[in-house]
């Protein structure tokens, strides 16, 4: 019998891209797709329902709170794992703008089902796609079809050793036992026991910025203002290197002034630098070229 694969997507004002991600999850072999929505003021929830997702919860916060989001995500997964009590299942955790693929371009659901039963966790490098013009994305489609260049991200750890994986987007549960949870940002899983991780690279193609008007509107709602801005708490945790860094660099990004753009999430690297060197993702991940840029 086929091993069930479920996905849960976290959203906030992601109406332009959530439908494409839900469709991608189903096309990649997911049995169900759930949405955890932070009280979006646009059509995110309606779009998700229209594309066949289930709404796990809609919750309201004054500020963006990723720790709360992860706690809610973990609780939703836990309830489902224990209630369904399946002998074997996978849960995939994504943001609305994160598109997952399996090794060698394989649909991630198929790839997860092929992994031996002792493998409990899957990790992935991340490739941040950057817009190359004012019309950088067509709603309803995979963003890698339109955004050709960006920046690869892996985790820096243990001094100068570069970890292979930026996130761990898939966890396996056996016999209805919830024994692995996720930390902030779905970067690290946590468990009381040692969990074998796949040595295969799954890939996340990440599209945090799409067409200019929608991206500016979304980030203004999130980051504009002083201490009362919605992103304030997250900015403190990330030392100002998260969404607000993108907000501050929107002009340079959409004017293609890459040497003036500050890299986001520099807290992982311990130093600041200005200037992005963009790379063709199809050269870094050639196994996906035929899939998205035939």
């Amino acid at each position: 019998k086929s091993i069930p694969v479920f996905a849960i997507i976290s959203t906030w004002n992601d109406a332009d891209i959530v439908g494409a991600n839900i469709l991608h999850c189903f096309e990649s072999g997911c049995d169900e797709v759930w949405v955890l929505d932070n009280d979006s003021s646009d059509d995110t929830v309606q779009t998700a329902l229209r594309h066949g997702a289930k709404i796990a919860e809609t919750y309201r916060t004054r500020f963006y709170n990723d720790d709360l989001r992860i706690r809610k995500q973990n609780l939703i997964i836990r309830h489902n794992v224990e209630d369904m009590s399946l002998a074997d299942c996978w849960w995939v955790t994504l943001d609305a703008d994160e598109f997952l693929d399996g090794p060698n371009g394989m649909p991630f659901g198929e790839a997860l089902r092929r992994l031996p039963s002792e493998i409990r966790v899957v990790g992935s490098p991340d490739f941040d796609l950057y817009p190359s013009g004012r019309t950088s994305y067509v709603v309803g489609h995979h963003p890698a079809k339109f955004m050709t260049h960006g920046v690869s991200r892996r985790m820096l750890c243990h001094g100068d050793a570069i970890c292979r994986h930026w996130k761990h987007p898939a966890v396996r549960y056996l016999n209805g036992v919830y024994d692995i949870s996720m930390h902030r940002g779905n970067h690290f899983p946590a468990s009381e026991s040692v969990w074998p991780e796949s040595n295969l690279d799954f890939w996340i193609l990440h599209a945090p910025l799409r067409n200019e008007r929608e991206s500016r509107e979304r980030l203004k709602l999130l980051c504009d203002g002083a201490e009362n801005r919605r992103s304030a708490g997250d900015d403190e945790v990330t030392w100002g290197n998260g969404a607000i860094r993108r907000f501050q660099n929107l002009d340079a990004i959409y004017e293609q002034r890459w040497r003036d753009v500050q890299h986001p999430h520099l807290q992982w690297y311990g130093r600041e630098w200005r200037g992005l060197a963009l790379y063709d993702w199809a050269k870094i991940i050639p196994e996906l070229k035929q899939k998205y840029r035939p």
Side-chain angles (χ1 to χ4, degrees):
K1 185 178 179 180
S2 179
I3 300 170
V5 176
F6 307 105
I8 182 165
I9 299 175
S10 295
T11 59
W12 179 74
N13 284 14
D14 291 298
D16 63 326
I17 199 154
V18 68
N21 202 349
I22 292 167
L23 180 61
H24 178 73
C25 286
F26 281 128
E27 290 177 343
S28 297
C30 282
D31 296 277
E32 293 179 354
V33 179
W34 295 76
V35 164
L36 173 62
D37 184 68
N38 191 188
D39 195 30
S40 294
S41 58
D42 64 1
D43 292 332
T44 295
V45 169
Q46 296 86 341
T47 302
L49 290 169
R50 192 166 62 249
H51 284 81
K54 299 180 178 181
I55 307 303
E57 183 181 348
T58 296
Y59 66 102
R60 179 173 296 180
T61 59
R62 180 180 177 186
F63 298 99
Y64 173 66
N65 186 334
D66 197 64
D67 297 321
L68 175 63
R69 173 182 76 94
I70 293 297
R71 289 200 300 272
K72 286 182 173 293
Q73 171 195 277
N74 286 338
L75 190 60
I76 291 164
I77 295 174
R78 179 171 191 161
H79 284 165
N80 277 280
V81 166
E82 294 177 346
D83 289 349
M84 289 187 284
S85 194
L86 298 168
D88 195 348
C89 69
W90 283 95
W91 276 86
V92 174
T93 56
L94 299 167
D95 293 343
D97 54 10
E98 295 175 339
F99 289 70
L100 183 65
D101 274 287
N104 301 314
M106 187 183 301
F108 69 78
E110 180 183 346
L112 291 172
R113 292 183 177 101
R114 290 190 179 190
L115 291 175
S117 59
E118 65 268 19
I119 299 299
R120 301 290 308 280
V121 173
V122 158
S124 67
D126 170 280
F127 195 94
D128 280 0
L129 301 166
Y130 275 83
S132 57
R134 293 185 181 275
T135 302
S136 303
Y137 175 64
V138 176
V139 174
H141 295 269
H142 195 296
K145 294 179 179 179
F146 309 96
M147 287 184 259
T148 61
H149 286 69
V151 177
S152 179
R153 281 202 282 180
R154 298 171 188 260
M155 192 67 71
L156 187 69
C157 58
H158 309 304
D160 293 329
I162 297 179
C163 295
R164 293 172 56 185
H165 298 143
W166 178 252
K167 290 199 173 186
H168 290 81
V171 174
R172 185 178 216 151
Y173 299 98
L174 303 174
N175 302 313
V177 177
Y178 180 84
D179 55 353
I180 302 176
S181 60
M182 296 304 299
H183 278 300
R184 179 180 175 84
N186 293 317
H187 288 287
F188 301 110
S191 176
E192 292 183 353
S193 58
V194 176
W195 30 262
E197 179 178 343
S198 171
N199 60 2
L200 299 173
D201 281 346
F202 286 59
W203 272 95
I204 287 176
L205 291 171
H206 181 212
L209 299 174
R210 282 86 70 181
N211 291 329
E212 183 173 358
R213 180 176 65 82
E214 291 86 351
S215 295
R216 285 188 181 275
E217 289 177 355
R218 185 176 188 273
L219 283 176
K220 185 175 182 179
L221 286 173
L222 183 62
C223 301
D224 198 21
E227 66 274 4
N228 290 324
R229 63 187 182 276
R230 182 174 173 81
S231 67
D234 194 65
D235 298 337
E236 182 178 355
V237 171
T238 63
W239 307 338
N241 282 285
I244 196 166
R245 178 59 57 86
R246 294 193 181 94
F247 179 61
Q248 293 165 343
N249 285 270
L250 281 176
D251 288 344
I253 289 170
Y254 282 104
E255 292 169 11
Q256 314 288 288
R257 292 186 284 109
W258 303 114
R259 66 182 180 181
D260 296 327
V261 177
Q262 293 173 295
H263 201 293
H265 289 295
L266 292 178
Q267 76 273 23
W268 293 111
Y269 304 101
R271 64 184 178 89
E272 297 239 349
W273 77 79
R274 184 181 294 271
L276 280 186
L278 299 188
Y279 298 90
D280 185 344
W281 68 256
K283 293 181 179 179
I284 294 176
I285 325 171
E287 61 269 28
L288 294 180
K289 181 178 180 180
Q290 185 60 34
K291 196 170 184 178
Y292 301 121
R293 281 168 53 188

